[in-house]
Structures are given as structure tokens and as C-alpha cells.
Amino acid sequence: MTVKAILERKGHDVFTLGPNEKLSEAIRMLADHRIGALVITNGDRKIVGILSERDIVRVVAKEGAAALDIAVRSAMTPKVKICNENHTVNEVMEIMTRGRFRHLPVEKDGLLDGIVSIGHIFLRNSISGRPPDRETRSSSATMRRRVNGVISAVMEPFKRSMTASTVG
């Protein structure tokens, strides 16, 4: 199976954000859309970085709640590994495994054309063609709940400060 086949099934839509946006906006988008990464682009869909939940956790661990006001460019991974529609599932798995990441933007003619995640590779488009087993679905749901819990905890001080500033 190729990346092209995966994109034909899942679509080419990708959530993106500009590098000058605040980290709080990125966190809101990740939580609202229940996704694990945003591709950071300039207005022309040229990839300039990627921002994952892991990137956010690293910055919040270092900066605390002040991280919410940091520009995305300060938290993102600027050297983005990419693939194209001709990559095979095995090639994508190798890139993800070597790089230890779960999201891989798809580029076409130098511009963002889609994204594939470890979930697209293993869960929705399993090599065997079989749906994921109960254990895989359960561990994936558990991980999603944990990540959403971290995002909620990080957002709570921001929400309180926003409420206080609008009341006063």
C-alpha cells in the first residue's frame, strides 16, 4: 500500500497553523480536533515545522503556564521529515521508527498535500487488511485520554486567567 492509497481513503485535509501563533491556540486546535500534531506552514502551504503533543509537553515542563504565550515557532520541530504519495507503508514505518515520531506530512511539488499518522498506518489501514484488535483499540483510547488530560491540565490556568481578564 502507498501513501497515495491512504490519502485517497482518508483525504488530504490537514490542520495547520502559522509559526507566529501562540501555543495556546495550537493547544486549543489539538484538543478541539482531537489530533496529535499540527503542520506549521506559511500562508503558501510551505512546511516550516511540525508541532506535536510531545513538543508542547517539553515546553510546558520547562516554562510552566507561561508557555501558553510562546510563539509556535519556539516550540515546533523545524526540521520536518516528509514523505510523498509514492512512499510505501513500509518506507513510512521506517521513517517514523527511525525518527521516533507519529506524524508524517506528505509533500507534493514542495507544498503540503496531506498527513499520515501511525494510526493511519497501523489502525485504519493495517497491512493485513484486518481491523485492529480489542487490545490495540483499548491502548490507543487510553493514550488519547492521557494526552487529553495533560492538555486539559495545561489549559486550566489559561482558562482561569482569561476568565479573570474578561470579568475585570
Side-chain angles (χ1 to χ4, degrees):
M1 178 178 281
T2 64
V3 169
K4 182 177 182 176
I6 293 170
L7 292 177
E8 285 172 354
R9 293 171 91 184
K10 75 165 255 337
H12 292 259
D13 294 341
V14 183
F15 290 101
T16 64
L17 195 63
N20 297 319
E21 296 294 329
K22 288 186 178 185
L23 202 55
S24 58
E25 175 61 12
I27 292 168
R28 184 195 63 73
M29 286 181 70
L30 291 171
D32 287 354
H33 299 291
R34 299 176 55 103
I35 55 175
L38 294 166
V39 180
I40 309 306
T41 62
N42 288 326
D44 59 1
R45 295 189 61 85
K46 179 86 173 135
I47 301 169
V48 297
I50 190 164
L51 181 72
S52 71
E53 296 158 329
R54 290 178 184 176
D55 295 324
I56 292 169
V57 168
R58 284 186 199 109
V59 173
V60 170
K62 182 178 177 187
E63 303 292 332
L68 298 171
D69 291 324
I70 291 173
V72 166
R73 77 171 55 258
S74 298
M76 71 183 190
T77 300
K79 294 181 180 177
V80 183
K81 296 287 186 188
I82 57 142
C83 66
N84 63 53
E85 63 183 20
N86 298 317
H87 276 88
T88 66
V89 167
N90 288 339
E91 290 170 327
V92 169
M93 287 185 341
E94 177 67 23
I95 294 168
M96 288 180 171
T97 301
R98 256 188 286 128
R100 294 185 167 191
F101 47 80
R102 300 174 307 196
H103 301 89
L104 192 60
V106 181
E107 203 174 68
K108 185 174 185 178
D109 299 325
L111 300 176
L112 179 63
D113 187 46
I115 192 166
V116 291
S117 73
I118 201 77
H120 299 124
I121 301 301
F122 288 111
L123 300 178
R124 295 182 191 95
N125 299 292
S126 65
I127 295 168
S128 66
R130 293 186 308 263
D133 59 27
R134 178 180 288 159
E135 182 180 342
T136 302
R137 286 191 312 268
S138 176
S139 63
S140 179
T142 299
M143 180 59 80
R144 178 63 60 197
R145 282 193 299 275
R146 287 181 183 162
V147 168
N148 285 337
V150 168
I151 290 172
S152 294
V154 166
M155 288 300 292
E156 191 54 39
F158 175 71
K159 288 176 184 176
R160 283 196 301 265
S161 70
M162 290 302 292
T163 303
S165 67
T166 57
V167 170

